[in-house]
Amino acid sequence: MNTAVESARKPVTLHRLREMHAKGEKITMLTAYDATFARLVDEAGVDCILVGDSLGMLVQGHSSTVPVSIDEMAYHTRCVVRGNRTAWVIGDLPFGSYQESREQALRSSVALMQAGAHMVKLEGGGWTAETVHFLTERGIPVCAHLGLTPQSVHALGGYRIQGRDQAGADTMRRHAKELTEAGAAMMVLELMPSAVAAQVQADNPGLMTIGIGAGSATAGQVLVLHDMLHFTRGKLPRFVRNFAAEGGTADDAVRRYVAAVKDGSFPDEAVHSY
Ligand code: KIV
């Protein structure tokens, strides 16, 4: 994004995101955990910043997202908000911060909203619908998260593709419908066959589905910033494209991501999908 466009962008609101979705414009999202990267991602024109609990692995060096606390998420949300000017900021509710009760979920969400988040995200379906209803009724926009839900990695038996069999796909569709009816405005769909994500989007046309390893039919896409810049060590999942491979700066790589999601060239069904 050039400087003129950059200074012209108005803050991204939920209303604006819904308009984009209604017009068929793809929504772009990347993670950021600090002010420097939040600023870079915002200035490159990314619509939404996710302060993901993936920071537990990428910033804190844990082997999963399970150890991350609500105080740590609030701290990183404050850092991101200081660097960001216009992107929509989503704060991730970490493991153990919303499972106990609706009241606990409200307290944790208030901590992230008071840190500057515009929306909170929580993982899982079924019992979470009641929590989503409780939060949205109290003025807190909620992003749900179905498919591979990393906080449940030990229960799921690893980072595996979800919804591959008919029963799994049917459960996912039922959970997505319940969460939408409970008031979730947005939903991350992680690591599932493209056909299942496409079905969830078709079942709930107003819902903004954001895919990660879920094909190209979702309303938008999200990647972990460290993955798409290839800062992450080790073998990356096939849904990650290395946007730094063509060279230039990190800003260039993020701009390429925005352009590729907006023009539909990322994800490529033949390369990045299941
Ligand atoms: O924590 C995170 O970064 C996430 C994304 C993988 C969607 O939840």
Side-chain angles (χ1 to χ4, degrees):
M1 188 179 282
N2 67 37
T3 313
V5 177
E6 195 182 291
S7 55
R9 182 161 95 156
K10 294 202 184 98
V12 178
T13 60
L14 195 53
H15 180 73
R16 170 79 193 112
L17 291 167
R18 285 197 168 115
E19 274 179 358
M20 287 168 57
H21 178 44
K23 283 193 299 191
E25 179 182 339
K26 293 284 183 183
I27 297 166
T28 54
M29 186 187 294
L30 282 176
T31 61
Y33 316 119
D34 64 27
T36 300
F37 279 112
R39 181 165 184 168
L40 186 155
V41 162
D42 177 40
E43 290 182 355
V46 171
D47 300 310
C48 307
I49 295 177
L50 171 63
V51 190
D53 63 356
S54 49
L55 66 84
M57 299 163 91
L58 293 157
V59 177
Q60 301 175 335
H62 294 297
S63 59
S64 79
T65 61
V66 172
V68 179
S69 72
I70 186 66
D71 289 347
E72 290 164 348
M73 289 307 302
Y75 167 78
H76 284 280
T77 302
R78 283 195 295 276
C79 295
V80 163
V81 166
R82 285 185 210 118
N84 177 52
R85 286 187 314 116
T86 61
W88 178 256
V89 176
I90 302 159
D92 220 354
L93 290 168
F95 180 66
S97 74
Y98 59 96
Q99 285 88 348
E100 193 179 309
S101 64
R102 302 177 313 179
E103 289 73 16
Q104 186 206 25
L106 178 62
R107 275 194 304 278
S108 301
S109 302
V110 167
L112 297 188
M113 300 295 280
Q114 289 185 339
H118 303 123
M119 177 179 238
V120 300
K121 178 168 86 59
L122 52 78
E123 295 186 5
W127 67 273
T128 52
E130 195 188 328
T131 302
V132 168
H133 182 69
F134 191 76
L135 297 178
T136 53
E137 285 275 291
R138 282 155 183 77
I140 299 173
V142 178
C143 176
H145 184 158
L146 293 179
L148 188 273
T149 46
Q151 292 172 14
S152 309
V153 61
H154 301 304
L156 295 173
Y159 297 96
R160 298 161 184 274
I161 302 167
Q162 302 297 305
R164 271 205 144 141
D165 60 359
Q166 194 57 49
D170 289 348
T171 303
M172 194 115 62
R173 287 178 66 186
R174 180 165 49 77
H175 286 168
K177 171 75 53 203
E178 289 166 0
L179 287 159
T180 306
E181 285 170 0
M186 199 178 261
M187 185 177 292
V188 168
L189 298 177
E190 181 166 357
L191 206 59
M192 66 183 66
S194 304
V196 177
Q199 195 58 253
V200 167
Q201 183 61 83
D203 291 345
N204 308 285
L207 176 70
M208 293 177 276
T209 59
I210 308 292
I212 173 164
S216 56
T218 50
Q221 296 292 326
V222 59
L223 282 178
V224 169
L225 183 70
H226 293 52
D227 291 352
M228 55 81 76
L229 292 177
H230 262 220
F231 288 167
T232 312
R233 291 292 179 257
K235 190 174 181 302
L236 289 172
R238 66 185 275 183
F239 61 76
V240 177
R241 175 171 145 193
N242 177 4
F243 283 91
E246 290 156 61
T249 62
D251 305 66
D252 295 330
V254 174
R255 280 193 210 100
R256 277 197 286 272
Y257 168 75
V258 172
V261 172
K262 294 279 181 194
D263 72 18
S265 57
F266 178 78
D268 179 341
E269 283 292 338
V271 181
H272 306 113
S273 303
Y274 302 94

